[in-house]
Amino acid sequence: MARRKAAGVVAVVFTALAGAQQALLVAGFGGWLPGWQPWPYLLVAAPAWLISRPLWGERIPPQWLRGLDVLRRVPAWAYVVGVLAVAAGVWAVLQDFEPYLGHEEAVYANKARFWVEGTPDAGWGVYRPVGLPALGALALWLGGDAGGGVGVADGVGALRAVALVLVLGALTVTYFVAAAWTSRRRAVVFVVVLLSGLGFLRRVPEYLNDIGATGLLLIVVLLLVRAQEKEGSRALWGVPAVALAAFYLRYGVVGNLLAVGLAAVLAYGPRAWMAQGRRLVGAAVLLVTGLVPHF
């Protein structure tokens, strides 16, 4: 009992510290934290809450429990829609703090304009992935006027809209992946935690490929798991398409894909993957074929 009470105190204190650091970041006082980075207080608070769990029923006021019952009656999809709406609102608000395209954004924007208008693609190099400017070119084409030109303001808005689509897509993917492994309500918590992360918020308003590529990597992980854990699953056929989409969106995911592949081999064993037979060979052929345009 004493250990549980001590864990409860630790959980409350570290949760309060985690909330305080987030408040500092939101208020613009992140400089008080080392490198503007939040400390991982929740890594201590989470197990402490679990240890003290038997005490919760004794400490939670009855009116709070009634409030929880009301919240549980709200369907999970409504919470997901709410989180996506908040994400869109955050994206819109942060645009005021990022009114101009930064260097990396501008390079991809120049390439997108080059494909739409033929203007110089300054700063472009073969080491840059083509997926993001391709999406940007589509956005510029859809947002341009009848004459094909795109104004500066309209162009920035159209390109930043691509970032919003990628953000909402990554959050939606996170929800479905978490729901497949836990539950729909716990998946909502995962999405809220992701949206509240400082690193995530830093990229939300920008025309970059980090967030979108992360969402695609999550799909790759889900497909690999289903290929092994669902008998007769054809999920392996989808891995090359999603992996190629992630690759062309961000070449830097190669290391992540290799790590995911290695983890899959270690988790299920080489024999389990060899048992996939034609599916494994077919997926490998599709993957290599999809890389031919790049090479």
Side-chain angles (χ1 to χ4, degrees), residues 67-231:
L68 289 175
D69 290 335
V70 173
L71 294 176
R72 289 193 181 101
R73 295 192 189 102
V74 179
W77 65 263
Y79 285 118
V80 177
V81 172
V83 173
L84 295 180
V86 170
V90 169
W91 171 86
V93 170
L94 292 179
Q95 295 302 318
D96 292 336
F97 297 92
E98 298 285 348
Y100 307 107
L101 294 176
H103 171 66
E104 291 296 320
E105 291 180 285
V107 174
Y108 292 114
N110 287 337
K111 190 64 174 180
R113 287 186 180 279
F114 168 76
W115 283 336
V116 175
E117 303 176 357
T119 53
D121 53 349
W124 187 257
V126 294
Y127 58 89
R128 294 187 180 276
V130 297
L132 186 62
L135 294 175
L138 177 61
L140 291 174
W141 179 72
L142 293 175
D145 58 29
V150 180
V152 174
D154 292 338
V156 172
L159 295 173
R160 288 284 176 79
V162 172
L164 175 60
V165 172
L166 294 177
V167 166
L168 297 181
L171 290 173
T172 303
V173 165
T174 301
Y175 168 76
F176 282 111
V177 172
W181 290 337
T182 57
S183 68
R184 287 177 292 180
R185 295 188 180 278
R186 290 177 180 176
V188 173
V189 177
F190 277 100
V191 175
V192 171
V193 172
L194 176 61
L195 179 60
S196 65
L198 175 61
F200 189 87
L201 290 175
R202 281 178 172 176
R203 292 291 180 258
V204 163
E206 298 178 335
Y207 174 59
L208 294 174
N209 50 21
D210 309 59
I211 293 177
T214 302
L216 292 171
L217 286 172
L218 281 176
I219 299 177
V220 171
V221 175
L222 179 63
L223 291 175
L224 289 175
V225 171
R226 287 201 171 185
Q228 286 293 345
E229 299 190 0
K230 185 177 180 182
E231 187 176 356

Side-chain angles (χ1 to χ4, degrees), residues 203-293:
R203 292 291 180 258
V204 163
E206 298 178 335
Y207 174 59
L208 294 174
N209 50 21
D210 309 59
I211 293 177
T214 302
L216 292 171
L217 286 172
L218 281 176
I219 299 177
V220 171
V221 175
L222 179 63
L223 291 175
L224 289 175
V225 171
R226 287 201 171 185
Q228 286 293 345
E229 299 190 0
K230 185 177 180 182
E231 187 176 356
S233 173
R234 299 182 179 179
L236 197 58
W237 290 109
V239 171
V242 182
L244 287 169
F247 173 75
Y248 282 112
L249 186 61
R250 181 176 175 83
Y251 293 153
V253 301
V254 170
N256 303 95
L257 290 172
L258 292 175
V260 168
L262 178 60
V265 172
L266 294 177
Y268 297 102
R271 291 184 180 180
W273 289 108
M274 295 303 295
Q276 292 285 339
R278 294 179 180 179
R279 292 173 185 169
L280 182 63
V281 175
V285 171
L286 289 175
L287 182 62
V288 174
T289 303
L291 290 174
V292 169

